[in-house]
Amino acid sequence: MIPAGFEYHRPADVASALAILTTHGDEARVIAGGHSLIPMMKLRMAEMGHLVDLQDITELKGISVDGDTITIGAMTTQHELITSDALAEAAPIIREAALVIADPQVRYMGTIGGNVANGDPGNDMPGLMQCLDATYILVGPDGMRPVAAREFYEAAYFTAREDEEILTQISIPRPAPGTGYAYEKQKRKIGDYATAASGVMLTVAGGTCTSASIAMTNLADTPIWAEAAGAALVGSDLGEDAITAAIAAAKDAIDPVADNRGPVEFKMHVAGVILRRAIDRAIARAG
Amino acid sequence: MAKQHVKMTVNGKEVEALADPRTLLIHFLREDLKITGPHIGCETSHCGACTVDIDGKSVKSCTMFVGQAHGADITTVEGLVNADGSLGVIQEMFREHHGLQCGYCTPGMITRAHRLLQENPTPTEEDIRFGMAGNLCRCTGYQNIVKAVAHAADALNAQKEAAE
């Protein structure tokens, strides 16, 4: 389990990190928490001549809630997401999702930036960020550009990020007060990826659903923002008919493949169960 | 590949070395520093036998390159003994409550329990099980491990009260 050799870099700012990426092209890769990349390097499924460690770049760290916008630095760890009082107040669904990622040791190291940028369909944060309509900030040699989480994922491990770009920050519109939320995940054991997971955000006024956003995790080769599933709830009384329609729409949007977590039929079934639980919990929390 | 200069504090002692950048921290600790408390169990980031404490975080040292630990303050199970070299409170509670069977996972369990109890000095049984979930015991001796951690929490709290 010894990875191939590489040269190690630890730049102090984003500009220095970009300079290394520009010099070495696809021979260089950034490392955040390393808990996806290092296992791949040990299996020799990832090899690079230059490893660029982002841990000293303070501008990539931190959580701030400013008016209607939540900003999270890419190097913020899952543990820091869980222990942030500001985030628990502004968007508690992020804490709920971070708590079901991997195990404590992994959450001390694993970062939100690495989780969303890697493009692994098993990761939980990409679907959640789509549910929250987050925007990723990418910085490259030509400057900065924002990309919506809902537009970022192309296929497993393929994203809108170019090789010489670094995902530096995530910007999330602060959910309205009283928004009901839930992140529900079915996994075989602690530390496993989801068999099926779902994030739900919805608002209710006078018994009628006024907005809803639903995303599904590890049920296709990208996270799936199930727009039609959310639309099936909006304007309804959130009764059985609307929930059944939303689940049917979400099932239409996903495309799971058989693996050691089960055959396609099982995953479709679990996806429906998980989404129903998430919707029920979100409704119970809406106020 | 050129060797890389690394410097860190391990169990209160400053260490300095030249290392191949691809060296994993667990190999550096065991083979270069001869600190063999942290064990290699699965070497795939699952089992937690290699857990060490790095700057106040529990980390699987098989999933970190030595260069990432440059400048860090590291504690292994060896660093959790009392000043006179006798077993520290958590170690003593694992002994007393038989929180081990074959003992292979124990250094990781104790190092993880140390951080868990720093963050949550009064954990419920559920807190302990959730907080220790990154450490596997292939003997399945979890019952007594959880018991040992709970007793360690009580003992540490009693110690703190006595000191006040």
Side-chain angles (χ1 to χ4, degrees):
Chain A
M1 300 292 279
I2 310 290
F6 56 84
E7 201 175 312
Y8 175 85
H9 305 262
R10 203 201 273 198
D13 51 54
V14 171
S16 313
L18 286 174
I20 300 166
L21 294 184
T22 309
T23 305
H24 299 289
D26 62 4
E27 266 296 289
R29 250 187 103 166
V30 299
I31 183 167
H35 277 52
S36 297
L37 185 58
I38 294 175
M40 297 300 275
M41 292 173 72
K42 286 160 74 173
L43 293 167
R44 304 259 176 153
M45 292 168 78
E47 286 186 26
M48 70 287 299
H50 297 267
L51 191 65
V52 186
D53 186 352
L54 303 179
Q55 69 166 295
D56 280 353
I57 307 182
T58 48
E59 61 195 288
L60 296 181
K61 290 178 189 163
I63 299 165
S64 70
V65 181
D66 185 12
D68 290 337
T69 306
I70 301 165
T71 306
I72 305 175
M75 287 295 284
T76 305
T77 64
Q78 312 293 358
H79 181 76
E80 288 162 346
L81 296 177
I82 290 164
T83 52
S84 163
D85 291 338
L87 209 52
E89 157 96 32
I93 192 172
I94 297 176
R95 180 174 193 275
E96 182 159 292
L99 278 167
V100 294
I101 293 175
D103 64 42
Q105 282 95 320
V106 177
R107 293 193 292 266
Y108 282 110
M109 292 301 295
T111 66
I112 189 166
N115 194 290
V116 301
N118 196 30
D120 182 343
N123 285 354
D124 291 286
M125 287 295 170
L128 178 62
M129 292 300 120
Q130 292 189 338
C131 180
L132 290 167
D133 197 15
T135 300
Y136 303 154
I137 308 300
L138 304 175
V139 177
D142 302 327
M144 182 266 266
R145 67 181 178 115
V147 179
R150 292 174 186 172
E151 309 285 329
F152 186 72
Y153 299 95
E154 296 164 355
Y157 303 101
F158 285 92
T159 68
R161 188 184 64 80
E162 302 293 340
D163 279 345
E164 66 278 12
E165 286 181 315
I166 297 174
L167 191 155
T168 57
Q169 208 175 66
I170 297 163
S171 171
I172 302 165
R174 182 179 182 156
T179 300
Y181 67 91
Y183 192 80
E184 184 76 31
K185 178 175 180 177
Q186 168 66 43
K187 52 186 175 177
R188 296 173 304 175
K189 58 176 273 292
I190 293 267
D192 192 21
Y193 294 107
T195 303
S198 178
V200 174
M201 300 284 286
L202 54 82
T203 53
V204 183
T208 301
C209 177
T210 48
S211 73
S213 177
I214 292 174
M216 310 295 287
T217 292
N218 215 14
L219 292 160
D221 68 347
T222 65
I224 297 292
W225 180 57
E227 189 172 6
L233 297 179
V234 176
S236 80
D237 61 354
L238 295 170
E240 181 55 34
D241 288 352
I243 293 174
T244 307
I247 291 169
K251 285 185 175 180
D252 272 347
I254 60 177
D255 186 20
V257 292
D259 60 17
N260 53 8
R261 292 181 188 85
V264 170
E265 295 76 7
F266 175 70
K267 290 187 172 189
M268 292 298 270
H269 173 74
V270 176
V273 171
I274 289 304
L275 177 54
R276 177 177 292 273
R277 286 182 192 166
I279 292 172
D280 285 348
R281 199 156 75 238
I283 292 171
R285 283 167 167 171
Chain B
M1 292 288 161
K3 291 224 174 186
Q4 174 186 4
H5 173 243
V6 291
K7 193 172 166 179
M8 60 195 79
T9 305
V10 183
N11 297 329
K13 262 189 8 212
E14 205 162 86
V15 299
E16 232 177 312
L18 287 173
D20 187 339
R22 65 178 169 164
T23 307
L24 294 162
L25 181 61
I26 183 67
H27 294 140
F28 180 73
L29 292 171
R30 291 179 56 85
E31 290 158 26
D32 291 59
L33 303 184
K34 310 294 179 201
I35 294 172
T36 53
H39 287 169
I40 299 172
C42 69
E43 227 185 336
T44 54
S45 327
H46 288 99
C47 78
C50 64
T51 299
V52 299
D53 201 74
I54 304 183
D55 294 331
K57 299 182 283 201
S58 302
V59 176
K60 293 177 181 177
S61 60
C62 79
T63 313
M64 178 180 269
F65 292 118
V66 64
Q68 292 176 280
H70 176 73
D73 188 358
I74 301 178
T75 304
T76 70
V77 70
E78 286 93 337
L80 295 174
V81 294
N82 296 323
D84 64 1
S86 60
L87 292 183
V89 171
I90 303 173
Q91 295 167 333
E92 181 58 34
M93 289 301 116
F94 268 69
R95 191 194 65 77
E96 191 171 320
H97 296 281
H98 199 64
L100 59 143
Q101 290 179 29
C102 82
Y104 199 84
C105 70
T106 313
M109 289 284 178
I110 288 175
T111 314
R112 172 59 196 143
H114 164 71
R115 182 51 44 198
L116 173 64
L117 296 179
Q118 295 282 316
E119 291 180 355
N120 182 0
T122 52
T124 62
E125 182 184 331
E126 200 189 331
D127 293 338
I128 294 171
R129 289 184 183 275
F130 189 76
M132 300 291 293
N135 295 75
L136 302 181
C137 167
R138 293 316 280 164
C139 309
T140 69
Y142 295 108
Q143 194 59 36
N144 283 355
I145 290 169
V146 172
K147 215 161 88 183
V149 177
H151 282 279
D154 292 344
L156 286 167
N157 291 332
Q159 205 177 54
K160 227 183 296 171
E161 255 171 56
E164 273 162 15

